[in-house]
Amino acid sequence: MKVLGIAVSAGALQYGALQRDSGISLMPEAPERLGQADGLTGCERTADTYRRILQDIRVLAPDLVVLVATRRHGNWPYRQAADRAALVTLVQLACHQDGVRCEEWKTEKISKLISVPATSLSDVALKRIGVVTRPKYWNQGRGDAFAAALAALHESATESQ
């Protein structure tokens, strides 16, 4: 099974791509993150971002995409909230376009599945995702994305037993 965890953080999509064969490991050649193009604006920027998300989904061919739901619920500047909502929507559209299951999970659900506090998902032990050193952008949200992917793999293993 292949799972792509995605955390929207720092104005970009932070990817955590894991697979389970005999054990859990990183998906080879998976991108680290996807940011919006600086040179584009308006609908050109939105279309470009969508095309690049769709390309990543097609290349990775995950069985499931798990979006990490935000823990922030109020006092957002409009631009931050709108950017997050747009990125989440573009991921959902790309998944729908390619027939990939896409779910948004609260940090509490992820926390229960991997036994890490919901407020610090990036504290997941690196060996649990099959690495010895922290991947790039870990503290910018990528750690949360890997936690989401790991949680989905755990849930699928439990369901198949």
Side-chain angles (χ1 to χ4, degrees):
M1 177 172 193
K2 295 179 359 182
V3 178
L4 176 60
I6 299 177
V8 180
S9 178
L13 299 175
Q14 309 291 338
Y15 291 156
L18 296 175
Q19 61 187 5
R20 183 181 59 233
D21 293 323
S22 58
I24 293 174
S25 62
L26 301 179
M27 275 193 234
E29 307 300 320
E32 299 164 338
R33 64 190 306 214
L34 186 144
Q36 297 185 60
D38 291 330
L40 302 175
T41 59
C43 63
E44 288 83 15
R45 185 175 186 180
T46 302
D48 175 73
T49 303
Y50 172 74
R51 282 191 295 271
R52 291 187 300 125
I53 293 168
L54 184 59
Q55 179 181 4
D56 287 345
I57 297 293
R58 287 183 173 161
V59 168
L60 293 172
D63 299 296
L64 172 64
V65 170
V66 177
L67 288 157
V68 179
T70 183
R71 294 187 58 79
R72 188 172 184 180
H73 297 288
N75 299 321
W76 281 51
Y78 172 78
R79 180 66 359 222
Q80 285 180 348
D83 285 347
R84 178 185 170 76
L87 288 171
V88 167
T89 300
L90 293 174
V91 169
Q92 292 170 334
L93 285 171
C95 288
H96 176 75
Q97 176 71 31
D98 238 33
V100 175
R101 197 170 99 214
C102 180
E103 299 176 5
E104 187 171 19
W105 288 8
K106 292 184 176 185
T107 54
E108 290 77 14
K109 177 177 181 170
I110 297 167
S111 169
K112 287 178 186 172
L113 287 164
I114 62 171
S115 303
V116 173
T119 55
S120 55
L121 294 177
S122 63
D123 288 344
V124 65
L126 296 177
K127 66 180 179 181
R128 293 181 70 190
I129 63 168
V131 299
V132 291
T133 59
R134 279 187 174 182
K136 196 172 181 180
Y137 307 114
W138 188 265
N139 291 329
Q140 287 80 18
R142 200 159 175 228
D144 292 358
F146 276 112
L150 181 64
L153 289 174
H154 279 283
E155 183 177 71
S156 72
T158 303
E159 289 175 353
S160 65
Q161 293 178 355

